Amino acid sequence: MRILIAAAGSRGDVAPYTGLGAALRRAGHDVALAAGDSFACLARDAGLAWHPLPADPQAHGGASGKRELIQAAAGFVTELGQGFADALTDGTDLLLLSTTTAPLGWHLAEATGTPTLGVYLQPTTPTGDFPPTVTGTRSLGRPANRIAAHLASRMADHVYAQAVTTLRRRLQLPPLSPSRMRRRMDQANWPILHGFSTALVPRPRDWRPGLEVVGNWWPHHDPAQQLPTELEDFLHTGPRPVLIGFGSMAAGDGERLSRLAVQALRRAGLRGILQAGSAHLAADGDDVLTIGDIPHALLFPRLAAIAHHAGAGTSAAALRAAVPAVPVPVSADQPFWAGRLAALGAATDPIPFRLLTAERLADALERVVKQQTYTRAAAKAARHMATEDAAHRTLTAIQQLTRA
């Protein structure tokens, strides 16, 4: 089959699909990834074709107030919809849609008759088990959790309204609101596979049929790749270090965060690695090393702990490596994942990014490294995750869908 995976957002929103795409390709499918320009190399390194999506969420940044943020998001998804329409070729046999691209892909599927399957990295369907991922971790009680999730869906529909109107006009389809389309897909039990572990989020019992939690799709990396010599040497010269990094978060705040990180490490008496990321963390010294992008699967098992922004992918990769964490959530769904790690016992209580200080970080790092209960909880989750095979579950779902 000719399969197009459509994803948008930051690296953490796209990279897992390179691993999924590579697995589908090994099973004999012809796979392309539609994503932003900065992910072309990731796609090609995984052996996937790449189709550009022009929308860049950073280009719509700078908004501060709620109305401005909604307008910026609406502008982003409108561009995304037009690029998505360009990326979908006549020969596509199946569309795999992420959380962000699904509300657009449904309309393209209606116009072209292309089958679709959801491949989400976050749980978005209302449930009583937990509140919406974008509102944090505090449960409001089962009825209120569901109500809050429906309100979050309505807000998302509002963001997509302009994009859907523009896209349906281009596709010569009759007008249809995002909320009507969402209800139509729910009523049809449209299948969605959720690419996270049941160790972190068990499948809610009140979800409708067609919604499954299959485990993580891990970003592709070359199995022959090795750590850089400088990093390997650093790992060998002393006790296991801790990693501090904020991924694609905290751009422009690197100088302050670098200083804070080094102070925290030395206060806790720990060796550390700073991962530059979008914040451009950097520091020198015998006890601190700065690195760029390194596959999580290569580095994380060599660490004592990780202080990170609690993105879905980084949170899962730390657990997979049986390494405890100090979560420092910045925005979006990060507080949700941070809370999940802490509830498992595999992480300290989250430190909200706006409240981060050298003292708080030092105290949490010292605790998570010295108290073995955190490591034991992470190791237990890692054993659970090792039993999950998300790629196989996805292949099975595709076979069932195409036979139907």
Side-chain angles (χ1 to χ4, degrees):
M1 294 176 63
R2 287 163 293 190
I3 300 173
L4 178 65
I5 306 173
S10 67
R11 186 185 182 97
D13 299 309
V14 176
Y17 299 115
T18 63
L20 172 59
L24 297 177
R25 187 175 60 82
R26 288 193 297 272
H29 298 294
D30 182 0
V31 186
L33 176 67
D37 291 347
S38 58
F39 304 114
C41 289
L42 287 183
R44 290 166 180 155
D45 287 348
L48 312 178
W50 171 71
H51 296 305
L53 291 182
D56 177 7
Q58 302 302 321
H60 297 274
S64 54
K66 182 177 178 181
R67 180 173 294 181
E68 287 183 342
L69 286 169
I70 292 174
Q71 289 174 343
F76 163 58
V77 296
T78 298
E79 281 187 40
L80 180 62
Q82 295 306 301
F84 195 176
D86 293 335
L88 183 61
T89 64
D90 291 339
T92 301
D93 298 312
L94 177 65
L95 267 176
L96 300 188
L97 302 173
S98 72
T99 313
T100 307
T101 60
L104 302 167
W106 296 330
H107 305 275
L108 287 164
E110 179 185 342
T112 62
T114 308
T116 60
L117 176 66
V119 284
Y120 286 15
L121 301 180
Q122 302 85 12
T124 61
T125 303
T127 174
D129 286 8
F130 46 79
T133 58
V134 293
T135 64
T137 58
R138 182 171 170 270
S139 177
L140 308 170
R142 295 193 65 84
N145 284 344
R146 291 187 62 84
I147 291 170
H150 283 292
L151 290 173
S153 294
R154 286 176 59 184
M155 181 64 72
D157 292 339
H158 180 63
V159 168
Y160 278 86
Q162 173 187 330
V164 166
T165 297
T166 303
L167 183 59
R168 290 185 70 85
R169 188 180 300 128
R170 169 175 171 172
L171 298 172
Q172 298 182 330
L173 294 173
L176 185 70
S177 70
S179 57
R180 286 281 301 280
M181 178 58 93
R182 186 184 299 277
R183 286 196 296 273
R184 179 188 293 180
M185 302 307 286
D186 280 340
Q187 289 164 1
N189 288 331
W190 181 63
I192 303 174
L193 307 181
H194 294 83
F196 46 79
S197 176
T198 54
L200 273 174
V201 184
R203 182 189 185 278
R205 289 169 297 173
D206 57 357
W207 269 5
R208 64 167 172 80
L211 304 176
E212 300 298 337
V213 179
V214 299
N216 288 86
W217 302 295
W218 303 108
H220 170 80
H221 76 271
D222 183 348
Q225 185 177 352
Q226 296 182 341
L227 295 176
T229 302
E230 183 184 23
L231 176 54
E232 194 68 65
D233 290 345
F234 183 80
L235 291 167
H236 278 292
T237 57
R240 287 191 174 206
V242 301
L243 175 74
I244 299 175
F246 298 97
S248 58
M249 298 290 105
D253 207 11
E255 187 174 338
R256 180 186 71 84
L257 288 173
S258 299
R259 189 166 55 248
L260 184 155
V262 172
Q263 289 171 356
L265 288 167
R266 290 177 179 160
R267 188 182 181 104
L270 298 168
R271 299 196 320 137
I273 298 171
L274 304 189
Q275 189 157 35
S278 295
H280 300 296
L281 300 185
D284 295 318
D286 293 339
D287 57 346
V288 183
L289 179 71
T290 301
I291 62 171
D293 287 334
I294 300 288
H296 291 161
L298 289 181
L299 176 59
F300 282 13
R302 310 281 297 275
L303 302 171
I306 305 167
H308 61 76
H309 61 296
T314 308
S315 298
L319 272 188
R320 182 194 194 191
V323 177
V326 174
V328 186
V330 182
S331 64
D333 60 341
Q334 294 160 16
F336 174 82
W337 298 112
R340 288 275 153 172
L341 289 174
L344 273 181
T348 62
D349 288 338
I351 306 172
F353 181 75
R354 70 183 188 281
L355 301 179
L356 183 65
T357 64
E359 293 76 19
R360 283 195 177 98
L361 182 56
D363 177 66
L365 285 173
E366 189 172 11
R367 206 162 62 248
V368 82
V369 170
K370 293 184 177 178
Q371 294 181 15
Q372 289 302 301
T373 53
Y374 294 107
T375 301
R376 285 196 291 270
K380 181 179 179 181
R383 290 192 293 272
H384 178 100
M385 295 170 86
T387 67
E388 297 172 324
D389 188 343
H392 177 74
R393 293 277 300 273
T394 307
L395 278 165
T396 301
I398 288 172
Q399 291 166 356
Q400 293 171 345
L401 180 67
T402 53
R403 280 201 303 263

